[in-house]
Every structure is written in C-alpha cells, then in structure tokens.
C-alpha cells in the first residue's frame, strides 16, 4: 500500500460540496503535484488531510494506518508524520526565526534541545537564512518567511511534506529562491504533495501530477503525460490555457 | 452556609423601584443632553478655537477626566455652600454629571469632527450640494457613524453613574433600593433585583441607540 | 477665596494628616491595582472560556458571557452594596477594605475580560491552525502562541482601564474604606472647610491619575510600534 492513500474522500462547506470522491496516493519518497483551476478544492484537500477540516466521507490512510479524524489520538499520530507549509507562511509572530523552527520539535515532540537546535541552524543555513536566526518574522521579506516556514516544516522530520501554493504570495523575483529550496529537498528521500500554479516547476520536480477539477482528480500521470499527452479533454483544456498564458 | 433567597418581601416594591428608575433615566438623559452641549462647544474650541480657547477646552477635559465624578459632586454639594452657592441634591448631582460628561463628550466629539476629511467636503461640493445639504447628508452622518459607539458607551456609563445620586439623598433607583434595604433588611434580594433593573434599563438603552444609529445614520453598534 | 480658607490650609497638612492623606492615596491605588491584577488573571480564564469552541465548555462559555455582560451593566455602587450587606446577612465578618477589594476585583474582572477577549479576537486563525497541525495541545497553543501574542495588544487598554478605575474606587468610601474620598469626609467632620478639603481631594486624585494617564498614552504608542523585545 502507498504511504499516503486517499480513497473516495469527500468534504463540504455547508451545502457547498468541495471534495467529491478524491482518489489519490503518494508513495514513500515520491513527489506528487496537484494542479487545477482556482476553487477546485486543492487547499481544501490539504486541510482535510491535516485534520483542519472534517471529511464527510471516504478514507485517508497514512503509513498503513487509517486516520480517524474524530479521534484525537489517531489525528495526533497522523500529524506526527506530516508537515505542511501554508500559502501564507503562518510563522508565529511572537517567536524568533530559530524559535519558530525549534518550538515544535523540542516542546511538542520533546526531542533533545541541542540536537534540534543544531539541525535547525543547518536547515536555516541551507535555505540561506543562517544570519537571521534571532530576527522576528515581520522583519523578513515574504520569500524569507516562506523559506523559514519550509525549514520549520522540515525540522519536524516529517515523512511527508504538504506544500500549498508556497510561492503565490511572493513577488516574482522571490519565487525562484523558494522553488530552488524545494527542488533541493526533492532530492532528499521525502514524500511531497505539492499544490502549485508554477507549471514549469511542477513539471520539473514531480514524479506524478494530478489534475483536479470539480472536487475530483480527473487525471493523474507522469509530467509528460499530463503536459504533452493529456488523456482527458478537461486536462487538455486546462493545460492548454495555462501554457498560452505563458507559465 | 445556608441562605435562602426570599423575594416575597421585595417583589411588592418593584413598582416603587421602577418609578425610581424613571428618575434615574431623567437624570441620565438631562445630564447627557447638557454634556452634549458642553461637548460640542468644547470640541469646536479644541479644533477651531485658536491657541487659548483650545487650551482652555483641553484643561477642562484633563481636569474632569482625571478626577472622580463622585468627588466633583461632593465639591458641588458640600463645598460650594461655603461660597454661598446652595444646591438641592438633584440639581447638584445633575450639574456634576453634566460637567463630567462634558469632558468625556468633548473628546469623543473632537475625534468625530477631526475625522471629517476635506476630500469628502470637496466631493459634496462637486455634487452641487448646498452647505446645509452637505451638513445633513455628508458631515453629520459621517460624524455620527464615528462617534455613535463611544457615545452609546458614554450614555450607558452615565446611566450606571446616576446611582451616585443616592449618596446625596436623591430617591432614584439606587436611593429607593437603600430605602427598602433599611426597612426590610432583605439586602441580597434587593440589590440583586435593583442590579437586574439596571441591566434591563441599560440593555434597552443600547438597543434603542443601536436602532437610532442604524436608521438615522446607518451606523452599526454592537448591542451586547 | 475668603481668608479663613487659607488659614485652614496648613492645618490640613499637619504631620498626622499628611500620613493620613498618603495612606488614603495608597489605598486608592491599591484598590484599582489589585482589582486589575485579579481582573487580568480571572479575566483571561473567562475570555478563554468565552472563545472556546469545545462542546464540553459550552456551559462555562455561557456562564462567563453572562457574568461579563451583567456585571458591566450594574452600577459599581450596587455591586459594592450587594457584597457589603451580603457579607453581613451571611454572617461573614469582613473588613470594609476586604469587601471593597472583592467588589473591585469582580467588576474589573468583567471589564478586563472583555478587553482580553477583544485582544484574542485579533489573533489570526491561521496562527492557531499552524499550531494545531504541529500537534500543540490547546493549552500549549495558549501558552506559546495566544497569550504571548495577545499580551502586547491588551496591556495598553488594560492599563488605561486601571487609570479609569482609580476614579471609580472613590465609591469604596461608601462602605467606610479609608481611601482619598473617605479621607476627605473625615477631614470635613473634623471641622475643616469642605471647600478646601474637597479641593485637596480633587487635586490628589489628579496628581495620582494624570501622570498614569500620560504613561498609558505613551504605552499605547510604544507597544503598538514594537511588539517584541
Ligand atoms: N472557509 C470557507 N468557507 C466556505 N467556502 C470556502 C471556504 N474556503 C474555501 N471555500 C470554497 O471552497 C471551494 C474550494 O476552495 P479551495 O480553497 O480548496 O480551492 P483551491 O483549489 O485551493 O483554489 P486556489 O487555487 O484559488 O487556491 C471554493 O469554491 C471556495 O470558494
Ligand atoms: Mg488554495
């Protein structure tokens, strides 16, 4: 069985059905990207996976264990294995960069403080922020904040990393620095589920790409299949429109 | 510790208390109206009064907002007679509350007036409005939108503040509660009941002011 | 001002009277300060209870909401009398100062809790989501995220309330607490001119309140500018 396995997942906001039977899987160490029109439910899917929103049908299995989202223990166990980086960085405003990265591993996961700090420094170095350890988030640019958020997620040592449009709030010149960071990580053996509108990046970094529309995965396949030889009209439409806009 | 609440002795006094509440209401409305007059004059002095008038208004506000209303009324009631000014309890309390409210309302209205921007006036002029129309349709609604929440809050505080009148022998709601307390000794029941009446009176006042704000000036005021 | 006022002035400030004024001014400050400190502690708990979305906490949420809304709509004098006569009726033998401290604490708890609730509401939900996804428990979220972020926002208005409240504590004189207003009453019964005495009382309140009010304004500007350090 896959590392992350999603079967027939459904969710809604009130009467608005957003996810309508999602089937998706991510293998260990695999990078899967989600693309699709705005409002197709990509963020919602990540919210459901991370337990920020309750599904109303279907099943999520993580590392072989079915996640029961109304059971606190089960949810906690699932969250222990994953990390997410949000579109809007969500760094804690009351903590320094270093503390943002170390707070969960030390205080929540009770790992050894010295080792965590060492690892945090190394990660922040890798994302190019080794000189900003004791600065507060609002003293950083958007791109820098996003890189801290990525370091924070990685310091949790997750088995799977979820990224939700991590570049969409950034100026164009900041996008590449964040994408480069992720590319670097993609070489490490960590599973990733990436939501992105950066088609060239997605194509470059993903093992498989899933096209989502109307609350379902319409097509999933290799980057070559999705971009050069889409099997469904909707995917062809979407990819065609996106590349004409010049992404 | 066993104590059973007995409202039996107290409930017959409810009409007596409610008439007292009417006196409280009278006091708060009069003091608020007087305070508004002082507040408007004060706010205009602060903004347009030139150096000395503006200073005078500021000193007034500083004095009345940094000393207790209770002691201000003490001064009027107990000290002024020494210089030949003798006031009955009700007018003394009314005067004290009015002067005090004038200080707070000056600040509230000043903030409201200061928030009217020249662009809006220019915009009104380009629409071809007369001065009076500009006042009626642009300036006043704008000011009230800004000051309505603070004014509502001030009025509620003043309604609660009227209970001080009891200390000087005015038989408003609290004064009447004191009267009943000294004859029945059902203190807990009486003060719970009286407190309840204040809660209802202030809730009614907030709702009413919220309605006024909504329909007259399209301002939104939180009721609870 | 007539000359007898002026000749009375030195007598108001004999050594013992100065001690009395000083003690009274300290009591005035104490009433407001204790009220606000207890108000902050209990107010935080109430504000958190009011914010909570947990089903098990619904009764606590309703009760604390009622408490806050009711207490803020009852005159201080009535609350004070309720505690004063209530203690008598129930047979508690409490000093006036104790009763006044209890009453001020109850009242400021309601007001401060409302300030804190406003502060907690300004926190971005995304911050709490980030904490939840990293497996913070609700208490850890509170301790590590909500409280540290809310504190700088709520401290200036709480301090402002503390300064306002100094003047409200004048009512404690009605149950015989020796604070500034009561000191004035005592002086007049000793035969001093009421005009002079209450002018002094007003002046003393002003001396206590005005610098603190200025400090409050300064805090507001400063804390808003730099949220950490
Ligand atoms: N908090 C919410 N309350 C109600 N409806 C919501 C909420 N958040 C999202 N929606 C709706 O759910 C649908 C899916 O939203 P979602 O954010 O998952 O889309 P998305 O695929 O991430 O879009 P985008 O690419 O613009 O980020 C949209 O129709 C949106 O309007
Ligand atoms: Mg989204």
């Amino acid at each position: 069985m896959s590392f992350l396995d999603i079967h027939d997942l459904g969710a809604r906001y009130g009467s608005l059905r957003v996810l309508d039977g999602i089937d998706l899987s991510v293998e260990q160490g695999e990078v899967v990207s989600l693309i699709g029109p705005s409002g197709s439910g990509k963020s919602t899917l990540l919210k459901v996976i991370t337990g920020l929103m309750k599904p109303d049908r279907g099943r999520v299995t993580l590392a072989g264990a079915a996640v029961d989202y109304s059971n606190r223990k089960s949810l906690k166990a699932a969250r222990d294995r994953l990390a997410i980086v949000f579109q809007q960085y969500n760094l804690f405003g009351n903590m320094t960069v270093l503390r943002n990265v170390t707070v969960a591993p030390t205080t929540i996961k009770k790992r050894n403080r010295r080792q965590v700090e060492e690892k945090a420094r190394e990660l922040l170095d890798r994302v190019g922020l080794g000189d900003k350890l004791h600065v507060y988030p609002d003293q950083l640019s958007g791109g820098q904040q996003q890189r801290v958020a990525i370091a924070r997620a990685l310091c949790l040592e997750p088995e799977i990393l979820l990224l939700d449009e991590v570049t969409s709030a950034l100026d164009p010149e900041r996008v590449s620095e964040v994408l480069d960071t992720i590319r670097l990580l993609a070489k490490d053996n960590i599973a990733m589920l990436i939501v992105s509108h950066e088609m060239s990046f997605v194509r470059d970094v993903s093992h498989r790409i899933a096209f989502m529309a109307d609350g379902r995965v319409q097509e999933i396949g290799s980057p070559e299949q999705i971009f050069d030889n889409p099997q469904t009209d909707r995917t062809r439409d979407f990819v065609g429109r996106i590349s004409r806009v010049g992404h | 510790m066993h104590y059973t609440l007995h409202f039996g002795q107290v409930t017959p006094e409810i009409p007596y208390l409610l008439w007292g509440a009417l006196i409280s209401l009278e006091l708060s409305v009069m003091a608020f109206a007087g305070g508004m007059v002082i507040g408007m004059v004060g706010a205009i002095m602060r903004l347009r009064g030139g150096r000395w008038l503006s200073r005078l208004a500021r000193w007034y506000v500083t004095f009345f907002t940094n000393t207790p209303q209770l002691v201000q009324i003490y001064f009027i009631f107990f000290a002024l007679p020494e210089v030949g000014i003798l006031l009955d309890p009700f007018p003394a309390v009314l005067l004290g509350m009015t002067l005090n409210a004038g200080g707070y309302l000056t600040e509230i209205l000043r903030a409201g007036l200061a928030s009217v921007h020249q662009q809006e006036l220019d915009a009104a002029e380009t629409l071809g409005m007369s001065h009076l129309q500009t006042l009626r349709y642009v300036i006043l609604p704008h000011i009230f939108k800004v000051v309505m929440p603070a004014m509502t809050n001030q009025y509620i505080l003043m309604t609660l503040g009227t209970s001080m009148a009891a200390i000087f022998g005015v038989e408003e709601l609290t004064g009447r509660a004191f009267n009943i307390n000294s004859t029945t000794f059902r203190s807990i029941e009486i003060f719970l009941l009286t407190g309840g009446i204040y809660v209802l009176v202030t809730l009614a006042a907030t709702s009413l002011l919220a309605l006024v704000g909504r329909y007259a000036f399209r301002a939104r005021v939180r009721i609870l | 001002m007539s000359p007898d006022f002026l000749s009375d002035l030195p007598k108001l400030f004999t050594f013992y009277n100065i001690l009395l004024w000083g003690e009274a001014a300290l009591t005035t400050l104490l009433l407001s300060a204790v009220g606000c400190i207890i108000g902050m502690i209990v107010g935080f708990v109430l504000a958190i209870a009011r914010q909570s979305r947990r089903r098990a906490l619904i009764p606590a949420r309703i009760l604390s909401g009622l408490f806050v809304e009711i207490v803020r709509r009852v005159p201080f004098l009535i609350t004070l009398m309720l505690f004063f006569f209530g203690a008598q009726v129930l047979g508690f033998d409490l000093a006036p100062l104790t009763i006044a401290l209890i009453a001020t604490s109850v009242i400021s708890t309601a007001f401060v809790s409302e300030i804190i609730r406003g502060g907690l509401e300004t926190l971005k939900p995304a911050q709490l989501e980030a904490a939840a996804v990293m497996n913070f428990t609700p208490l850890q979220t509170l301790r590590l995220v909500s409280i540290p972020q809310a504190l700088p926002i709520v401290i200036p208005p709480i301090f402002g309330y503390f300064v306002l409240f100094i003047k409200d504590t004048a009512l404690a004189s009605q149950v015989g607490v020796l604070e500034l207003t009561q000191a004035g009453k005592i002086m007049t019964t000793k035969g001093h001119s009421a005009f002079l005495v209450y002018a002094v009382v007003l002046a003393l309140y002003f001396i206590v309140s005005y610098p603190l009010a200025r400090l409050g304004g300064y805090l507001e500007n400063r804390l808003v500018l730099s949220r950490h350090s």
Side-chain angles (χ1 to χ4, degrees):
Chain A
M1 189 184 245
S2 315
F3 180 69
L4 171 66
D5 196 70
I6 297 169
H7 177 68
D8 191 35
L9 196 66
R12 55 197 162 90
Y13 286 108
S15 60
L16 177 69
R17 173 148 297 286
V18 181
L19 301 184
D20 192 13
I22 298 276
D23 290 300
L24 184 70
S25 64
V26 181
E27 305 299 325
Q28 219 139 16
E30 189 189 26
V31 176
V32 175
S33 289
L34 275 173
I35 61 173
S38 182
S40 56
K42 305 180 294 292
S43 298
T44 306
L45 176 59
L46 297 195
K47 274 192 174 172
V48 173
I49 294 173
T50 52
L52 291 173
M53 190 179 161
K54 283 224 163 70
D56 66 350
R57 69 167 202 259
R59 167 171 59 72
V60 174
T61 313
L62 194 63
V67 185
D68 177 357
Y69 286 103
S70 41
N71 177 316
R72 223 180 298 166
K73 252 195 177 149
S74 167
L75 178 57
K76 185 173 183 311
R79 282 173 168 173
D80 259 337
R81 297 179 178 275
L82 57 82
I84 180 167
V85 180
F86 299 92
Q87 189 165 350
Q88 291 289 348
Y89 356 113
N90 291 358
L91 297 176
F92 298 122
N94 57 309
M95 302 177 193
T96 61
V97 164
L98 184 62
R99 183 86 179 118
N100 257 290
V101 178
T102 59
V103 63
T106 56
T107 319
I108 314 297
K109 292 197 168 174
K110 310 268 186 242
R111 293 202 190 123
N112 178 292
R113 186 171 203 101
R114 268 214 4 257
Q115 287 171 6
V116 169
E117 241 174 63
E118 207 170 297
K119 166 138 189 148
R121 283 168 195 276
E122 181 200 314
L123 281 167
L124 286 165
D125 254 345
R126 256 168 76 187
V127 300
L129 290 169
D131 56 338
K132 302 274 188 198
L133 300 181
H134 304 294
V135 149
Y136 286 87
D138 59 4
Q139 293 162 282
L140 295 176
S141 73
Q144 291 171 325
Q145 289 188 45
Q146 199 58 282
R147 283 182 282 154
V148 176
I150 291 169
R152 178 174 76 173
L154 289 173
C155 201
L156 288 165
E157 300 181 350
E159 293 162 64
I160 182 166
L161 180 62
L162 313 177
L163 303 167
D164 190 3
E165 291 185 36
V166 290
T167 56
S168 72
L170 304 181
D171 295 337
E173 58 265 38
R174 303 274 179 212
V175 170
S176 61
E177 70 185 40
V178 173
L179 294 184
D180 286 344
T181 310
I182 297 167
R183 249 187 221 108
L184 208 71
L185 300 172
K187 290 184 190 131
D188 289 6
N189 201 27
I190 178 176
M192 286 200 231
L193 183 56
I194 300 176
V195 173
S196 180
H197 284 149
E198 302 286 337
M199 290 306 148
S200 56
F201 164 72
V202 162
R203 178 171 194 152
D204 183 30
V205 83
S206 317
H207 297 116
R208 284 188 301 150
I209 296 173
F211 170 68
M212 231 177 112
D214 296 338
R216 284 169 199 261
V217 173
Q218 304 285 346
E219 182 174 348
I220 184 161
S222 66
E224 293 72 30
Q225 176 190 328
I226 297 293
F227 286 110
D228 306 331
N229 188 20
Q231 304 296 300
T232 71
D233 294 345
R234 300 210 50 173
T235 315
R236 191 172 306 121
D237 247 29
F238 179 76
V239 170
R241 216 160 349 110
I242 284 274
S243 38
R244 266 203 308 281
V245 178
H247 271 272
Chain B
M1 186 185 81
H2 273 285
Y3 185 83
T4 332
L5 292 173
H6 282 292
F7 280 97
Q9 248 176 304
V10 182
T11 38
E13 308 286 1
I14 289 180
Y16 174 70
L17 286 172
L18 288 179
W19 284 112
L22 212 57
I23 300 174
S24 306
L25 189 69
E26 190 185 344
L27 190 54
S28 65
V29 168
M30 287 168 72
F32 189 77
M36 279 298 282
V37 174
I38 298 177
M40 283 183 204
V41 174
I44 292 170
M45 278 166 72
R46 285 282 270 124
L47 292 172
R48 292 279 154 83
R51 188 153 169 215
W52 284 103
L53 283 181
S54 141
R55 253 188 213 181
L56 193 67
R58 207 179 67 216
W59 286 338
Y60 180 92
V61 171
T62 309
F63 173 76
F64 277 97
T65 56
N66 280 293
T67 50
Q69 172 164 289
L70 178 65
V71 184
Q72 290 157 13
I73 304 174
Y74 263 104
F75 191 84
I76 292 169
F77 193 67
F78 293 114
L80 288 189
E82 285 182 20
V83 293
I85 303 171
L86 225 134
L87 292 173
D88 280 338
F90 189 91
V93 173
L94 178 57
L95 178 62
M97 288 192 67
T98 305
L99 293 175
N100 186 277
Y104 286 96
L105 286 167
T106 296
E107 272 311 280
I108 293 171
L109 292 173
R110 185 188 63 86
L113 284 179
S115 72
V116 179
H117 293 297
Q118 192 58 43
Q119 300 102 288
E120 290 170 79
L121 302 184
D122 294 344
E125 202 169 327
T126 54
L127 287 178
M129 287 191 188
S130 72
H131 282 306
L132 259 179
Q133 281 174 323
T134 311
L135 191 70
R136 165 70 184 86
Y137 294 105
V138 181
I139 302 181
L140 284 185
H142 173 95
I143 293 178
F144 270 87
K145 207 180 224 163
V146 174
V147 300
M148 225 21 211
M151 270 189 3
T152 305
N153 189 39
Q154 174 68 20
Y155 179 70
I156 298 304
L157 288 178
M158 287 175 69
T159 306
L160 301 182
T162 56
S163 73
M164 278 179 211
I167 295 168
F168 303 88
V170 178
E171 297 200 333
E172 40 63 78
L173 179 50
T174 301
R176 292 185 175 204
F178 284 179
N179 288 347
I180 304 172
N181 181 44
S182 60
T183 54
T184 67
F185 299 106
R186 283 272 150 211
S187 308
I188 298 184
E189 292 86 343
I190 291 156
F191 289 115
L192 282 179
L193 182 64
T194 310
I197 297 177
Y198 276 107
V199 171
L200 294 181
V201 169
T202 52
L203 272 177
T206 337
S207 318
L208 199 68
L209 287 170
L211 282 182
V212 169
R214 187 163 309 165
Y215 287 106
F217 306 108
R218 297 174 184 262
R220 285 199 179 276
V221 176
R222 204 169 143 255
I223 293 179
L224 270 180
Chain C
M1 240 194 275
S2 74
D4 30 318
F5 288 159
L6 294 178
S7 62
D8 195 22
L9 190 56
K11 290 185 217 139
L12 260 186
F13 290 103
T14 61
F15 179 67
Y16 285 106
N17 284 351
I18 289 178
L19 282 188
L20 182 83
W21 288 122
E23 188 195 331
L26 281 183
T27 308
T28 287
L29 271 177
L30 179 84
L31 281 170
S32 190
V34 168
C36 284
I37 289 166
I38 294 189
M40 261 182 93
I41 298 166
V42 186
F44 240 117
V45 176
L46 292 191
I48 287 157
R50 276 187 92 177
Q51 280 248 310
S52 163
R53 293 282 161 267
R54 288 255 187 118
R55 188 161 299 172
L57 286 177
I58 287 178
R61 198 167 112 204
I62 293 173
L63 282 180
S64 52
L66 278 178
F67 171 82
V68 169
E69 289 305 335
I70 288 176
V71 171
R72 295 194 314 137
R73 290 175 180 279
V74 174
F76 189 177
L77 189 55
I78 296 289
T79 311
L80 198 59
M81 290 301 152
L82 183 63
F83 281 102
F84 183 70
F85 287 107
Q88 279 183 7
V89 170
L90 297 176
F92 291 109
D93 189 18
L94 298 178
L97 182 61
T98 314
I99 289 171
L101 283 173
I102 295 172
T104 49
S105 301
V106 167
I107 290 164
S108 56
T109 294
F111 280 91
V112 172
S113 143
E114 191 62 10
I115 294 174
I116 293 173
R117 192 171 70 107
L120 288 177
E121 264 174 14
T122 64
L123 299 188
K124 297 202 185 73
Q127 296 269 308
L128 307 181
E129 287 185 352
V133 171
M134 291 198 287
N135 265 335
F136 286 46
T137 65
L139 270 182
Q140 284 170 328
T141 308
L142 215 53
R143 179 167 63 83
L144 297 166
V145 182
S146 307
I147 291 180
Q149 293 193 13
L151 265 186
I153 298 170
V154 299
I155 291 265
I158 289 177
F159 190 81
Y161 175 74
F162 158 71
V163 180
L164 277 182
F165 201 49
I166 289 173
K167 286 157 281 158
D168 291 344
T169 61
L171 283 165
S173 60
Q174 299 310 305
V175 294
V177 176
L178 181 56
E179 40 67 76
L180 279 176
T181 309
Q182 179 69 0
K185 277 163 69 183
I186 291 174
M187 291 295 184
T188 57
T189 59
K190 283 188 183 166
H192 294 288
S193 146
F195 193 98
L196 205 57
V197 166
Y198 287 118
V200 168
V201 173
L202 285 171
L204 288 175
Y205 271 108
F206 189 86
I207 290 169
V208 171
S209 159
Y210 182 68
L212 290 173
R214 292 295 293 263
L215 178 62
Y218 171 77
L219 273 185
E220 198 140 354
N221 290 334
R222 232 198 83 107
L223 273 177
V224 169
L225 287 181
S226 74
R227 280 184 286 109
H228 12 259
S229 70

